C-alpha cells in the first residue's frame, strides 16, 4: 500500500514540474542548500549517511572487503590531500579526466566528451561550488535518469592510497571536480564497483537526456564520416571503443592504441593534402596518455605538408592521450561508435537540430505484463504504447509516393546497474512496432494475424536498445519486451520524431460496465432455498451465514475445484451489497449476490480450460474485460501481484474476491463522485474510513 502511495506522489510531483533540469528531483530526499546551511551554521563538515566513507560504498565483490584492491584505502577530503584544492582550475576540460584503478573508462570518456559542450557541462556540474566561499564539505551534481533529472548530494571524502586518489583524477593535482562527479555517479548507481564496465552511451545520456545511437563499423553506413562531422557541429557527444580478439583485459598494441578500451571522439576534419583531401579524426584516451603514434599523430610528418594555419589550428604536441589519425585507420583500430544527440530539452539545442520527445514509463511484471519474446505464448500481454505520426519530415525526399517520418525508438531498462554487484544482470530486451487501427488493447488474435512493420535489430543485454526508422504517416503500436517471460523490471520507452507525435498508453482508460442482475422476489429462488436449508425464517444473513450457504452450494458444483469461501471473502461480498451498513444481507441481496457469483463463475470456467481450479495469471486481463472492467496496466499489475501464487496462477476464491473488491471500489467511487467529474475529495478521516470498509 505504501509503495503505491509513493508512486502516486511521484506522479503528482512530476505533473507539477518536479524532475525538469531547473527543478530536479532531490535524490534520496537530500536538499543541497538546506544541508549546506546546516553545516555552515554548526561549523561542521558534511558527512553523507546515505553514501558513507565506508566499505559499503566501494562494493561487495571486486571492491569487496576481502579484495586486495581496497586494502590500504583511506577516505580523505581534498583539503587533506592538497593544501589549496580547487573545484575547477582554469575551466573544466577533457584533460581533467584521468582514469584511476576503477574499470570505468566508459564513464570517463563520456565526461571528457561532456567538457566539449559547456552548456551541458554546466547543467551536470553546478559551477557555484568551491573549497573557499561557503565550503562545508558538501557538493552536488545533476543527472538525467529515465525521464527526469535528479540532484545528487555527496560529501567530499574520497578514496585514497598513500595520499593519492584511487579512482579518477585530474591532470592538475589540486583539481577535484571530476573525482567528486564520479563519486556522485557511483552513489546514484549504488557503489563504485557498480561503475565497472559499460557503454559510454549510457553516461552520455545520463549527462544530457539526449538521443543515443550506436554504430558498429562492420555495418557502418557509407557516409559515416559525414555523420560524425554533423554530430560534432551540432554539439553532440561522441565516443568510440576498441576491442581485442585475444584476452579481455586492456592491451596496448604497437600503435599505442589501447584495446578493450573506450575513447572520446573530439574532432573530424577534411584537410587539403598532397593535391587531394584527407579525412582525419581526433580521439582521446581517458588515461590522459598513451595516444596513437601512426599517421597524423602529434609528431607525424603529414603535418608538414598541409597549410600552416590549418596545422596551427589542429596540431598538438604533448602526450595528453589525444591525437589525430586517418579516418581509414580509425575504422580499423576501433569497432564501435556512440553518438548522443541533444534534444529540445537542452539549452544549447537550436532549430538546426530539433527532436520532439514522446516518453512512456512502464513495467514488466511476472504474470501480468512480462510476456517474453515474440515466440512466447504470452507475448500479447506485454505493455502496448501508441503513437500517431501525422506529419512527414520537412526534408522528406519524396523518393517513394508515401510521405515518411523519421522515428528513433529507445527502450531502457531501469536500475539494473545498481543490482550488478549483487549478481543482478541486464536482461535481453527489444521492441516491435505494429501498424494499428485503434487505441484499444490488442489480444492474441491481433498478433496471430498481423506482422510487425519494424523492430529492434536483436535482443541485447544492454541498458538501452535504440534504432532509427522511416515510417509512413499513421497509427503505430510499440511493444517493449524482455526475451524471457516473467523477467521483472521497470523500463523507459522514448520516441523521438522531427514532428510532434501524439502519444498514448494503450488500455490506459479506467472504467467499468458492471453486471447488475434483475432479481424478482420469489419464495423458490435459489437464495431463499439455500437460506431455508441453513436458517429457517432468517431475514438477515451475517458473514458466517453466508459462508455456510455459499460453501454448501459450491460443494454441488463439480466443475469448480475449491475448498470454499473464507469468512474474509464473505465479508467482502457483504460490503458490496450492504448499502444500509448493517453488516448483513437480506434474502433479496443474497439472491443478487448469487447471480453475480454465477456470472463470475462462468468467466472463470472459460479461462480455466484444464479444470485445475485456477487460471493462468496472464489470462486475468481477458477475464477482467469479460467481467466489464477496463483497467490500465498499473492497476492490473497490482491485482496480479496480490492474487497470484508461486506458479503464476490465480485460484477460484482469489478470483471471486478480486471481482467483488473491484465492484465495491467502483461503486464507492461513483457514490462519492457527486458532481460526476471523475474526481473525489476526501478528508483524512474519510479516506481511512473508506479504506477500512
Amino acid at each position: 500500500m505504501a509503495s503505491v502511495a509513493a508512486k502516486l506522489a511521484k506522479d503528482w510531483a512530476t505533473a507539477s514540474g518536479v524532475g525538469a533540469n531547473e527543478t530536479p528531483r532531490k535524490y534520496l530526499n537530500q536538499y543541497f542548500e538546506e544541508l549546506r546551511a546546516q553545516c555552515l551554521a554548526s561549523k561542521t563538515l558534511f558527512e553523507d549517511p546515505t553514501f558513507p566513507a565506508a566499505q559499503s560504498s566501494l562494493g561487495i565483490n571486486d571492491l569487496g572487503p576481502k579484495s586486495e584492491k581496497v586494502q590500504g584505502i583511506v577516505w580523505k577530503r581534498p583539503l587533506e590531500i592538497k593544501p589549496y584544492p580547487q573545484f575547477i582550475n582554469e575551466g573544466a576540460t577533457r584533460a581533467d579526466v584521468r582514469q584511476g584503478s576503477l574499470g570505468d573508462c566508459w564513464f570517463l570518456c563520456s565526461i571528457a566528451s561532456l567538457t566539449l559542450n559547456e552548456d551541458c557541462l554546466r547543467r551536470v556540474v553546478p559551477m557555484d561550488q568551491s573549497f573557499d566561499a561557503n565550503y562545508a564539505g558538501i557538493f552536488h551534481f545533476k543527472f538525467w535518469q529515465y525521464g527526469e533529472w535528479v540532484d545528487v548530494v555527496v560529501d567530499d571524502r574520497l578514496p585514497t592510497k598513500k595520499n593519492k586518489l584511487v579512482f579518477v583524477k585530474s591532470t592538475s593535482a589540486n583539481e577535484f571536480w571530476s573525482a567528486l562527479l564520479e563519486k556522485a555517479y557511483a552513489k546514484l548507481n549504488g557503489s563504485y564497483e557498480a561503475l565497472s564496465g559499460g557503454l559510454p552511451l549510457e553516461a552520455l545520456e545520463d549527462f544530457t537526456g539526449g538521443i543515443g545511437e550506436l554504430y558498429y563499423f562492420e555495418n557502418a553506413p557509407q557516409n559515416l564520416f559525414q555523420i560524425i562531422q554533423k554530430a560534432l557541429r551540432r554539439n553532440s557527444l561522441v565516443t568510440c571503443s576498441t576491442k581485442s580478439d585475444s584476452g579481455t583485459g586492456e592491451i596496448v598494441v604497437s600503435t599505442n592504441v589501447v584495446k578493450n578500451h573506450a575513447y572520446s571522439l573530439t574532432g573530424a576534419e577534411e584537410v587539403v593534402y598532397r593535391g587531394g583531401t584527407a579525412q582525419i579524426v581526433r580521439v582521446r584516451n581517458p588515461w590522459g596518455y598513451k595516444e596513437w603514434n601512426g599517421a597524423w599523430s602529434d609528431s607525424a610528418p603529414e603535418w608538414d605538408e598541409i597549410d600552416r594555419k590549418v596545422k596551427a589550428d589542429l596540431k598538438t604536441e604533448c602526450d595528453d592521450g589525444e591525437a589525430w589519425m586517418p579516418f581509414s585507420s580509425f575504422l580499423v583500430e576501433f569497432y564501435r561508435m556512440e553518438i548522443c544527440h541533444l534534444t529540445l530539452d537542452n539549452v544549447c539545442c537550436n532549430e538546426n537540430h530539433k527532436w520532439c520527445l514522446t516518453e512512456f514509463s512502464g513495467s514488466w511484471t511476472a504474470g501480468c505484463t512480462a510476456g517474453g519474446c515474440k515466440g512466447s505464448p504470452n507475448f500479447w500481454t506485454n505493455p502496448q504504447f501508441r503513437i500517431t505520426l501525422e506529419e512527414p519530415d520537412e526534408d522528406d525526399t519524396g523518393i517513394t509516393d508515401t510521405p515518411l517520418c523519421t522515428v528513433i525508438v529507445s527502450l531502457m531498462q531501469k536500475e539494473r546497474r545498481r543490482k550488478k554487484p549483487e549478481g543482478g544482470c541486464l536482461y535481453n530486451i527489444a521492441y516491435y512496432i505494429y501498424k494499428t487501427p485503434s487505441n484499444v488493447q490488442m489480444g492474441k488474435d491481433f498478433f496471430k494475424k498481423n506482422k510487425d512493420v519494424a523492430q529492434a535489430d536483436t535482443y541485447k543485454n544492454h541498458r538501452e536498445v535504440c534504432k532509427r526508422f522511416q515510417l509512413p504517416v499513421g497509427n503505430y503500436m510499440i511493444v517493449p519486451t524482455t526475451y524471457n517471460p516473467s523477467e521483472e523490471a521497470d523500463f523507459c520507452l522514448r520516441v523521438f520524431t522531427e514532428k510532434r507525435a501524439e502519444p498514448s498508453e494503450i488500455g490506459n482508460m479506467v472504467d467499468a460496465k458492471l453486471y447488475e442482475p434483475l432479481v424478482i422476489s420469489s419464495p423458490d429462488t435459489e437464495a431463499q432455498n439455500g437460506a431455508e436449508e441453513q436458517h429457517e425464517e432468517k431475514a438477515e444473513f451475517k458473514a458466517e451465514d453466508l459462508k455456510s450457504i455459499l460453501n454448501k452450494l459450491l460443494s454441488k458444483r463439480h466443475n469448480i475445484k475449491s475448498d470454499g469461501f473464507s469468512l474474509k471473502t464473505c465479508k467482502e461480498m457483504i460490503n458490496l451489497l450492504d448499502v444500509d451498513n448493517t453488516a448483513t444481507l437480506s434474502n433479496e441481496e443474497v439472491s443478487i449476490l448469487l447471480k453475480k457469483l454465477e456470472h463470475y463463475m462462468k468467466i472463470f470456467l472459460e479461462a480455466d480450460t484444464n479444470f485445475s481450479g485456477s487460471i493462468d495469471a496472464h489470462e486475468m486481463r481477458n477475464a477482467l474485460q469479460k467481467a466489464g472492467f477496463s483497467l490500465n496496466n498499473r492497476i492490473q499489475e497490482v491485482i496480479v501481484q496480490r492474487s497470484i501464487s508461486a506458479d503464476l496462477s490465480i485460484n477460484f476464491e482469489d478470483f471471486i474476491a478480486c471481482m467483488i473488491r473491484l465492484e465495491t471500489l467502483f461503486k464507492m467511487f461513483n457514490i462519492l463522485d457527486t458532481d460526476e467529474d471523475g474526481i473525489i475529495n476526501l478528508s483524512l478521516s474519510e479516506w481511512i474510513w473508506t479504506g477500512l470498509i
Side-chain angles (χ1 to χ4, degrees):
M1 181 67 76
S3 63
V4 172
K7 285 185 177 181
L8 285 174
K10 185 176 180 180
D11 289 346
W12 294 338
T14 300
S16 65
V18 174
N21 185 271
E22 298 77 14
T23 53
R25 190 180 302 280
K26 306 303 180 183
Y27 186 65
L28 299 181
N29 206 33
Q30 289 180 303
Y31 288 73
F32 171 74
E33 293 80 5
E34 292 180 8
L35 292 170
R36 182 172 64 176
Q38 292 170 9
C39 291
L40 291 172
S42 62
K43 296 183 179 179
T44 59
L45 296 180
F46 177 63
E47 294 188 6
D48 186 4
T50 66
F51 198 68
Q55 175 60 51
S56 60
S57 298
L58 293 174
I60 59 177
N61 292 315
D62 290 344
L63 294 179
K66 297 182 180 180
S67 171
E68 292 184 4
K69 296 178 181 179
V70 304
Q71 304 308 313
I73 282 184
V74 179
W75 295 78
K76 291 187 176 184
R77 297 184 189 272
L79 286 166
E80 300 172 290
I81 302 172
K82 291 294 176 182
Y84 301 104
Q86 298 289 314
F87 182 62
I88 295 178
N89 183 18
E90 297 182 354
T93 69
R94 56 189 182 275
D96 298 340
V97 185
R98 300 191 68 171
Q99 188 175 355
S101 61
L102 186 62
D104 62 346
C105 61
W106 64 276
F107 174 64
L108 304 183
C109 73
S110 300
I111 300 179
S113 294
L114 178 66
T115 63
L116 299 177
N117 189 312
E118 187 173 348
D119 290 323
C120 289
L121 177 67
R122 289 179 177 275
R123 302 181 90 194
V124 175
V125 184
M127 298 296 173
D128 57 344
Q129 306 182 86
S130 75
F131 293 95
D132 301 318
N134 293 324
Y135 170 70
I138 182 172
F139 292 83
H140 70 128
F141 302 87
K142 290 189 288 185
F143 303 101
W144 179 88
Q145 287 286 281
Y146 314 113
E148 66 176 5
W149 286 87
V150 294
D151 189 78
V152 180
V153 167
V154 291
D155 63 34
D156 63 351
R157 292 178 296 178
L158 298 167
T160 69
K161 282 187 179 182
K162 298 180 180 180
N163 209 45
K164 294 183 179 180
L165 293 175
V166 175
F167 303 132
V168 71
K169 60 208 72 176
S170 172
T171 304
S172 176
N174 69 332
E175 185 176 54
F176 290 92
W177 74 270
S178 56
L180 291 168
L181 175 63
E182 181 187 50
K183 181 174 184 178
Y185 200 63
K187 176 179 176 177
L188 186 65
N189 287 280
S191 68
Y192 277 96
E193 183 182 325
L195 302 188
S196 181
L199 291 175
L201 196 56
E202 181 176 338
L204 291 178
E205 291 178 331
D206 288 347
F207 290 153
T208 65
I211 313 163
E213 286 195 280
L214 194 60
Y215 290 94
Y216 287 91
F217 295 164
E218 60 184 9
N219 298 314
Q222 293 292 322
N223 62 335
L224 183 62
F225 184 80
Q226 287 72 29
I227 290 174
I228 296 172
Q229 279 191 312
K230 191 174 184 180
L232 291 174
R233 281 198 301 267
R234 292 175 170 177
N235 294 322
S236 299
L237 309 182
V238 188
T239 62
C240 48
S241 302
T242 61
K243 70 175 180 178
S244 172
D245 294 332
S246 59
T248 56
E250 293 175 325
I251 305 167
V252 182
V253 297
S254 60
T255 57
N256 257 7
V257 170
V258 184
K259 295 298 183 180
N260 303 316
H261 195 51
Y263 285 70
S264 306
L265 200 160
T266 60
E269 299 288 342
E270 280 189 309
V271 296
V272 177
Y273 177 68
R274 293 184 176 179
T277 59
Q279 294 179 335
I280 58 176
V281 294
R282 185 175 60 202
V283 296
R284 184 181 186 278
N285 184 346
W287 288 356
Y289 60 96
K290 286 294 179 187
E291 59 187 48
W292 164 258
N293 59 16
W296 295 99
S297 60
D298 288 359
S299 57
E302 286 83 1
W303 292 104
D304 296 329
E305 299 185 49
I306 67 169
D307 182 88
R308 289 184 179 181
K309 186 178 184 305
V310 174
K311 177 180 177 180
D313 289 341
L314 301 181
K315 186 184 177 186
T316 58
E317 292 187 5
C318 60
D319 187 18
D320 58 358
E322 187 171 56
W324 291 92
M325 65 190 303
F327 181 61
S328 57
S329 299
F330 171 71
L331 295 177
V332 173
E333 299 287 348
F334 293 78
Y335 83 105
R336 185 184 67 205
M337 181 184 72
E338 301 90 4
I339 300 178
C340 183
H341 303 289
L342 303 181
T343 68
L344 286 173
D345 182 50
N346 289 280
V347 292
C348 57
C349 195
N350 55 47
E351 286 300 312
N352 293 325
H353 185 63
K354 57 181 180 180
W355 291 100
C356 295
L357 169 63
T358 301
E359 199 165 62
F360 304 97
S361 288
S363 300
W364 292 295
T365 304
C368 185
T369 55
C373 67
K374 199 172 181 181
S376 168
N378 292 317
F379 173 77
W380 64 277
T381 64
N382 282 299
Q384 301 173 12
F385 302 93
R386 182 176 183 261
I387 58 169
T388 300
L389 303 177
E390 297 179 338
E391 298 181 65
D393 298 345
E394 289 183 358
D395 58 352
D396 181 37
T397 58
I399 295 176
T400 66
D401 293 335
T402 305
L404 298 176
C405 309
T406 298
V407 181
I408 301 177
V409 179
S410 157
L411 173 64
M412 285 185 177
Q413 48 188 316
K414 297 183 180 180
E415 306 292 352
R416 301 304 300 175
R417 178 171 292 279
R418 174 178 285 274
K419 302 178 188 297
K420 185 177 178 181
E422 303 167 7
C425 63
L426 290 166
Y427 295 135
N428 286 290
I429 60 172
Y431 55 80
Y432 296 85
I433 303 176
Y434 293 84
K435 197 79 180 290
T436 179
S438 61
N439 189 29
V440 296
Q441 196 85 27
M442 297 300 172
K444 289 181 183 179
D445 289 344
F446 174 85
F447 294 101
K448 288 179 180 178
K449 298 175 181 177
N450 294 274
K451 293 183 178 180
D452 57 273
V453 297
Q455 64 184 75
D457 286 329
T458 184
Y459 282 88
K460 295 178 182 177
N461 61 341
H462 294 171
R463 182 179 79 155
E464 176 190 37
V465 291
C466 182
K467 188 176 179 181
R468 182 186 295 243
F469 305 98
Q470 293 264 281
L471 298 175
V473 169
N475 299 322
Y476 294 91
M477 175 178 65
I478 306 173
V479 181
T481 163
T482 60
Y483 183 77
N484 295 311
S486 302
E487 290 180 329
E488 296 192 315
D490 296 328
F491 63 82
C492 174
L493 178 68
R494 297 190 296 164
V495 181
F496 301 92
T497 52
E498 290 194 7
K499 297 288 187 178
R500 177 67 180 167
E502 290 300 322
S504 62
E505 180 178 354
I506 296 179
N508 199 35
M509 296 295 293
V510 178
D511 195 9
K513 295 180 180 178
L514 302 178
Y515 171 67
E516 298 295 351
L518 177 63
V519 176
I520 301 174
S521 296
S522 172
D524 60 348
T525 63
E526 187 175 8
Q528 186 66 38
N529 291 337
E532 288 176 352
E533 290 179 20
Q534 300 297 317
H535 301 278
E536 293 182 4
E537 298 181 357
K538 183 176 284 295
E540 297 291 332
F541 298 89
K542 296 181 180 180
E544 292 82 359
D545 304 325
L546 190 60
K547 178 182 177 183
S548 178
I549 295 170
L550 294 180
N551 287 345
K552 185 170 183 178
L553 293 174
L554 192 59
S555 66
K556 299 177 181 179
R557 297 291 300 264
H558 301 298
N559 56 347
I560 297 285
K561 290 185 178 181
S562 172
D563 294 330
F565 293 114
S566 66
L567 192 62
K568 179 182 177 182
T569 300
C570 291
K571 288 181 179 180
E572 291 272 4
M573 296 177 186
I574 289 177
N575 286 338
L576 172 64
L577 298 170
D578 180 25
V579 293
D580 52 3
N581 201 29
T582 63
T584 62
L585 295 183
S586 66
N587 282 319
E588 185 175 349
E589 288 169 336
V590 171
S591 297
I592 294 172
L593 175 62
L594 283 174
K595 288 188 177 294
K596 283 183 175 289
L597 292 179
E598 190 68 32
H599 175 66
Y600 291 138
M601 284 182 192
K602 182 179 179 181
I603 294 171
F604 181 85
L605 288 171
E606 287 177 359
D608 182 18
T609 54
N610 60 355
F611 304 103
S612 64
S614 61
I615 62 173
D616 184 281
H618 292 94
E619 293 295 336
M620 193 63 171
R621 177 180 296 170
N622 285 337
L624 287 165
Q625 289 177 347
K626 289 179 180 178
F629 298 107
S630 297
L631 306 174
N632 61 27
N633 282 338
R634 178 177 289 186
I635 296 175
Q636 292 190 58
E637 286 168 8
V638 172
I639 289 172
V640 169
Q641 287 170 344
R642 293 187 177 183
S643 304
I644 63 172
S645 59
D647 63 351
L648 299 182
S649 65
I650 299 173
N651 66 34
F652 175 71
E653 183 183 8
D654 288 338
F655 175 83
I656 295 297
C658 175
M659 297 296 161
I660 296 297
R661 183 61 176 159
L662 279 172
E663 266 210 52
T664 303
L665 290 171
F666 271 99
K667 287 188 173 180
M668 286 173 60
F669 186 91
N670 290 335
I671 291 170
L672 294 170
D673 184 18
T674 54
D675 54 3
E676 299 182 352
D677 64 349
I679 299 173
I680 60 174
N681 295 297
L682 301 177
S683 67
L684 177 59
S685 174
E686 292 168 334
W687 165 256
I688 295 174
W689 176 68
T690 56
L692 291 175
I693 292 177

